[in-house]
Amino acid sequence: MAQVNVTIDGRQIKTESEKTVLEVAKENGIYIPTLCHDPRLKPYGACRLCLVEVEGAKEPLLACATQVADGMVIATDTVTLHEIRKTIVELLLSNHPLDCLVCESTGQCELQDIAYNLGIEEIRFEGERHTYTIEDFNPLIERDPNKCILCGRCVRICQEVQQDFVYDFAERGFETIVTTPYDRSLIKTLCEFCGQCISTCPTGALTERLSRFKGRVWETKKTKTICPYCGCGCQIELYSKNSEVVRVGTEVKSGVNSGNLCVKGRFGYDFINHPDRLTAPLVRKGRKLKKASWEEALDLVALKLSEIKKKHGADSIAFLSSAKCTNEENYLMQKFARAVIGTNNIDHCARL
Amino acid sequence: MSKNVKKQEAGNQGHGTRKPSAQIIIGLGTCGIAAGAWDVWTAFEKELKKRKVKAELKQTGCIGLCYREVLVDVVTPRGKIAYGNVTPAMVSRIVSSHLIADKPIEDWIVLGDGYETSDTDFLARQYRIVLRNCGQIDPEVIEEYLATGGYKALEKVLREVPPEEVISIIKQSGLRGRGGAGFPTGRKWEFTRRAQGDKKYIVCNADEGDPGAFMDRSVLEGDPHSVLEGMLIAGYAIGADEGYIYVRAEYPLAVKRLRIAISQAREKGFLGKSVMDTPFSFDIKIKEGAGAFVCGEETALIASIEGRRGMPRLRPPYPATSGLWGKPTCINNVETLANVAWIVSNGAAEFAAIGTEKSKGTKIFAVTGKVKNSGLVEVPMGTALREVIFGICGGIKDDGEFKAVQIGGPSGGCLPAELLDITIDYESLTATGAIMGSGGMVVADQSTCMVDLARFFLDFTQNESCGKCVPCRLGTKRMLEMLTRITRGRTRDDDLELLETLARDVKVASLCGLGQTAPNPVLTTLKYFGHEYDVHIKERRCRAGVCTELVTYAIKDNLCKGCGVCVKHCPVDAISGARKEVHHIDESKCVKCGLCMEHCPFDAINKV
Ligand SMILES: Cc1cc2nc3c(=O)[nH]c(=O)nc-3n(C[C@H](O)[C@H](O)[C@H](O)COP(=O)(O)O)c2cc1C
Ligand code: SF4
Ligand code: SF4
């Protein structure tokens, strides 16, 4: 990567040649609105909001798809650009249900933020609006095409990242819609319910059923942690309200997972507050399991293991550990099996 | 010259001497067939058999005189004479008088040596390069193409001219793409030749989605080999060994003739491995498109060939570096490719001598609408608009008054009478706000409402928008709604200003050519016919009487005889009046069907 010097809005910036204007602007705290952009995806150029003026270019260029070059002089917020952006956002709003009061995405909706940032007070355009009724019977993903702005992010993340090809565009003109093969419910498609499409949707068109009405984004506390499922160790963020986890997300482009998650990491959190979850050791007394103290439970296990070993030998015992444990915990488990009990019978649930 | 060609030519001549001396050639393009050419064909078959007349019945493509279809050429030792508007009923007289008695029927002649007719100018004032063989040869017989010198240009380049030199010939000729954008063809070839790639493609764009344009169809139906030869030369020049023709499925006859042409060319060794026994190999596949306008856009076209939804993508990369299946691909229009063999045979200088400084050669226009002679017109670049509309096409039908011409179809613009003297070339047209486009020309007279015309074209582009980018998908929708409101008298005060603002934003902000040009009909009508918008908005009137909701029907007191015919025809009982007294229309009931006006025996009802 060669070093280049560019000027954005009068600021001299040193950067690398393979970056896009949008990336460089972002790194330097310069705001360029976008709706169809997601750093996990290839540039697409559908929303047309990131048009910027570049000295020497006849027409405005897309910041998301234009690479910086040495000496480039870029203006990101001229009057012309502002007017074009307003037109685009007003066009979108002229066909958008403005029910932000109860929309699940309020507070994290990119369309809402851009409308606010552009200072849109009235929508100059009016006309037909879509009134789709789509019932998608599945437990996890809520689809509302009326809120879809056709940025194609769900279509692309499912194709480019997940390689599942669940969505595509159908129809043309005003009737264009994102849909599944034969308009089927997601459950009847190849969808693996990773929820990646929800994670990229800039509006309330794709939302999580599990989190519905459980808490606004500003009411929730974000806690960064590692996914408890497999050994990949994806970075996740728990959103909690009143000590209850109401949603799991991940920061875009961060962690080993680069902002991606699978179905377990994203949706498999209901065990946390589940009534069946064990919060104390149980010891069987007669036919019943009874709550016990850790001392009591561990003493019992130690006793039984010693008895069995004495009677049947160490190899009559096997240890099965869990992928949900940390490496350190798993290490201790095998150490215990080999050094304390004296058997190599140790395995792991991820092999099952 | 290859052995194949020699043998065939010799065979052709031999065949010629044994031919019956008379030939009847029927124009069997889609236009001819639509006008009933097959019925005429059957009538000739029967008549010739009945009268035992020896004459060969042959087919040819469309010659471009659409207003005269069905066209029949009769070739006898006295020469070739063409009859127009032939119906089966006229066949027996043509056979008895012309073929048997050798007396051509002068009243029916449209073209013929020594005959001066109202149609003579239509062809005589054209300059035909691309259409050189259309309507002249049988497109399903390769020998007829060979007899006109066909495939000689290919043979010449394969044997004598290195690929780089072929490219420089095309560059020198000044040929520019006829698909709309006018990009220099030689440069496009050069980019593709220079691009890195183990495999390269040539794609012929025969999508022709522009309503009103049909020159590509005519060339494919009338002279398919000229396109194949152009593709072969292009393939050789850029280093491609495979070509695709992307042709709309709504052109079944073109597809059929292309298939025939391809298999004939393969048989002759012009397509396939070792073309004409040289190291150059090339083959052509046909891909039928499903008729979406946007699939004519090159990146959408590539997606469509690859089996994906036809949606344009960002450029760069341009197809020349990453096109079909990610390989360097050169996409050219049918008309562009049909020029190539002519340029190679006649030389770049000869081609460059035709036209203007920046626009060389000829351009075909599909002239339709309110002109006397509608059809295909091929003229040198730089010809004045007036010459095409008045000189060649005979001016306005029914001696009406010229009002506007829409050039370039839904992506083009409407030009007024004041601009009739501009010349037709890429730069002058763009300067007016119209574009060359594919060469559709719709002529309008006083009966056309310009607001309605703009609405018509926008309705098309809105329906055909691929839906990808916001300005095009929603911008054209809102523009269309504003125009509809104007034509219905339901305008909001600020609609006109907003319409213009929106049109300009859609033009700059759209992703592909469809959205970038869709506002042209609106912007040009606003610019040249702004007063019509004003009349619609301020007076709630449509002077052309097209926008029904702005029209009122009225009975003229001095002409009405009180016969009551109108009362009988009015479906909503809106007309009243005593017998033999002046009648009246109740505007609140009238549904503006116009039936009363149609039936009034005294022409007492008019639209205002
Ligand atoms: C919406 C749209 C429709 C188009 N339709 C056609 C078409 O039907 N035929 C065509 O040759 N070019 C069409 N084009 C232009 C092509 O993208 C491309 O420029 C052309 O095929 C290149 O060939 P040329 O250089 O020989 O003109 C269209 C472009 C746009 C934006
Ligand atoms: S949940 Fe995953 S697999 Fe299903 S549609 Fe969304 S991205 Fe595709
Ligand atoms: S301009 Fe229209 S046709 Fe072109 S990409 Fe945008 S929506 Fe699709």
Side-chain angles (χ1 to χ4, degrees), chain B residues 177-179 188 205 208-209 293 296-298 331-333 336 513-514:
Chain B
R178 304 294 193 239
K188 197 186 268 188
N205 189 343
E208 197 163 58
F293 177 55
E297 194 282 337
E298 54 187 25
I331 301 183
N332 276 130
N333 164 261
T336 313
L514 194 151

Side-chain angles (χ1 to χ4, degrees), chain B residues 294 312 464-469 472-473 510-516:
Chain B
V294 76
E464 294 295 329
S465 157
C466 85
K468 178 168 178 172
C469 68
C472 173
R473 178 183 76 243
S510 290
L511 190 160
C512 85
L514 194 151
Q516 287 159 6

Side-chain angles (χ1 to χ4, degrees), chain B residues 306 363 444:
Chain B
E306 290 174 352
K363 175 77 194 92

Side-chain angles (χ1 to χ4, degrees), chain A residues 48 87 94 128 171 173-174, chain B residues 309 462 465 477 481 505 509:
Chain A
R48 320 301 292 168
T87 297
S94 73
E128 192 184 343
E171 310 292 342
F174 185 64
Chain B
R309 175 179 160 96
Q462 157 58 209
S465 157
K477 171 75 179 173
E481 288 171 332
D505 286 347

